[in-house]
């Protein structure tokens, strides 16, 4: 019953979104057809800046927390503390930091990983999991960043495989590879979630199943130990960061390595 009430409360707002209406934050009324521009939502947003009785916010940011929680039941994720554009920008920068700031070379050398695109992809998965662990603690805002980073990552991988299409010859093989990666990331997160809560032996077993089984190098026990130490070191570093720093200053995120790697 509560779900139906929430739906009927959100339904007129969702319809008004398509018509280009904006919510008047002051005096709790809607801008009428005669008062608003007749073209599109962008014009309506610009009109609000000069309209004396309204804030420059659109309907979504003026929704009550109760309605936002109700919308979540229908799969509509609305930000709770930060603006949506800040969350999107943070997702871009955080994903790029994994690509550019992670010391992939030192990690390969100390963990005994092969230098291949497949292994690079798995290392990216591991670092995504490390930062997702922190973002999951932040409710809807964290979930928005996680979803955006995931979408960006899949789009990036797809574009990278498209460049290899001439060598792979068939688009079908590219789709098969993407499907394997999609299944792999779910297996990654499930194994790592279970391993991080256990001892080092169980965590090493999870890493062996997700990373080293496809590794062409003959890894030694100390390679796995080094990777376990690295991941615990990184997750501890990220857990100490404030959400405000991750969202408003994502460029400040660093991916340090243990002193033993230097």
């Amino acid at each position: 019953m509560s779900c139906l009430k929430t739906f009927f409360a959100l339904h007129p707002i969702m319809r008004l979104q398509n018509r280009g209406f904006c919510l008047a934050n002051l005096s709790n009324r809607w801008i009428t057809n005669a008062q608003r521009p007749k073209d599109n939502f962008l014009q309506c947003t610009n009109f609000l800046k000069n309209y004396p009785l309204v804030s420059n916010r659109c309907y979504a940011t003026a929704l009550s927390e109760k309605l936002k929680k109700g919308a979540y039941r229908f799969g509509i994720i609305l930000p709770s503390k930060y603006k949506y554009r800040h969350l999107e920008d943070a997702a871009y920068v955080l994903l790029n930091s994994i690509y550019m700031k992670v010391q992939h070379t030192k990690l390969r050398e100390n963990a005994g990983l092969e230098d291949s695109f497949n292994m690079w992809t798995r290392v990216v998965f591991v670092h995504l999991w490390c930062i997702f662990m922190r973002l999951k603690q932040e409710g809807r805002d964290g979930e928005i960043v996680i979803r955006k980073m995931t979408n960006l990552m899949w789009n990036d991988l797809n574009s990278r495989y498209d460049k290899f299409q001439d060598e792979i010859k068939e688009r079908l093989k590219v789709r098969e590879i993407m499907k394997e990666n999609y299944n792999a990331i779910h297996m990654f997160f499930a194994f790592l979630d279970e391993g991080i809560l256990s001892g080092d032996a169980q965590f090493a077993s999870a890493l062996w199943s997700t990373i080293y089984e496809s590794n062409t190098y003959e890894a030694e026990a100390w390679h796995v130990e080094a990777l376990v130490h690295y991941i615990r070191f990184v997750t501890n570093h990220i857990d100490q960061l404030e959400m405000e720093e991750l969202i408003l200053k994502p460029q400040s995120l660093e991916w340090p390595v243990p002193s033993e790697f230097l």
Side-chain angles (χ1 to χ4, degrees), residues 154-171:
W154 288 127
N155 291 336
D156 178 63
L157 285 182
N158 192 42
S159 64
R160 290 174 187 265
Y161 280 120
D162 281 342
K163 294 180 180 179
F164 300 150
Q165 190 170 349
D166 293 337
E167 299 179 9
I168 299 177
K169 300 299 183 184
E170 298 178 7
R171 176 65 183 170

Side-chain angles (χ1 to χ4, degrees), residues 235-253:
T235 52
N236 180 64
H237 168 73
I238 296 177
D239 282 343
Q240 296 177 7
L241 300 177
E242 297 292 337
M243 183 63 173
E244 183 175 355
E245 185 176 357
L246 288 175
I247 301 303
L248 301 181
K249 299 179 180 179
Q251 66 277 2
S252 65
L253 175 63

Side-chain angles (χ1 to χ4, degrees), residues 13 45 80 101 105 113 143 154 181 187 199 202 205 223 239:
I13 297 176
T45 305
S80 58
K101 292 186 177 181
T105 302
L113 304 177
E143 187 169 348
W154 288 127
N181 287 328
M187 181 182 68
Q202 290 82 354
S205 176
H223 286 137
D239 282 343

Side-chain angles (χ1 to χ4, degrees), residues 46-107:
N46 294 332
F47 175 66
L48 283 176
K49 297 178 181 179
N50 301 319
Y51 196 76
L53 296 181
V54 222
S55 71
N56 61 355
R57 298 183 301 169
C58 299
Y59 76 94
T61 56
L63 289 178
S64 68
E65 187 65 21
K66 185 177 180 180
L67 280 181
K68 288 182 179 181
K69 291 180 179 179
Y72 186 78
R73 301 177 185 177
F74 295 93
I76 304 173
I77 307 178
L78 300 174
S80 58
K81 182 178 179 181
Y82 302 95
K83 293 183 179 179
Y84 193 84
R85 63 181 179 86
H86 289 158
L87 299 175
E88 279 195 326
D89 291 345
Y92 279 104
V93 177
L94 292 175
L95 181 62
N96 191 59
S97 72
I98 296 177
Y99 291 166
M100 306 302 295
K101 292 186 177 181
V102 171
Q103 301 187 42
H104 293 273
T105 302
K106 290 187 180 296
L107 185 57

Side-chain angles (χ1 to χ4, degrees), residues 137-243:
Q137 303 173 27
E138 301 299 331
R140 296 194 306 272
D141 287 340
E143 187 169 348
I144 289 173
V145 179
I146 289 174
R147 289 194 175 193
K148 186 63 179 178
M149 289 182 69
T150 304
N151 290 336
L152 290 171
M153 186 267 298
W154 288 127
N155 291 336
D156 178 63
L157 285 182
N158 192 42
S159 64
R160 290 174 187 265
Y161 280 120
D162 281 342
K163 294 180 180 179
F164 300 150
Q165 190 170 349
D166 293 337
E167 299 179 9
I168 299 177
K169 300 299 183 184
E170 298 178 7
R171 176 65 183 170
L172 180 61
K173 291 185 178 180
V174 175
R175 292 180 180 176
E176 290 176 355
I177 294 173
M178 290 297 293
K179 185 176 180 180
E180 290 177 2
N181 287 328
Y182 181 79
N183 294 331
I185 196 171
H186 285 277
M187 181 182 68
F188 256 68
F189 290 176
F191 275 113
L192 295 178
D193 284 342
E194 182 178 356
I196 196 69
L197 298 175
S198 307
D200 287 347
Q202 290 82 354
F203 197 26
S205 176
L207 292 175
W208 185 271
S209 301
T210 53
I211 293 182
Y212 286 97
E213 279 192 353
S214 62
N215 192 27
T216 57
Y217 289 172
E218 293 185 3
E220 302 290 342
W222 66 270
H223 286 137
V224 186
E225 181 184 4
L227 187 56
V228 169
H229 178 47
Y230 171 79
I231 294 176
R232 290 197 183 276
F233 179 83
V234 168
T235 52
N236 180 64
H237 168 73
I238 296 177
D239 282 343
Q240 296 177 7
L241 300 177
E242 297 292 337
M243 183 63 173

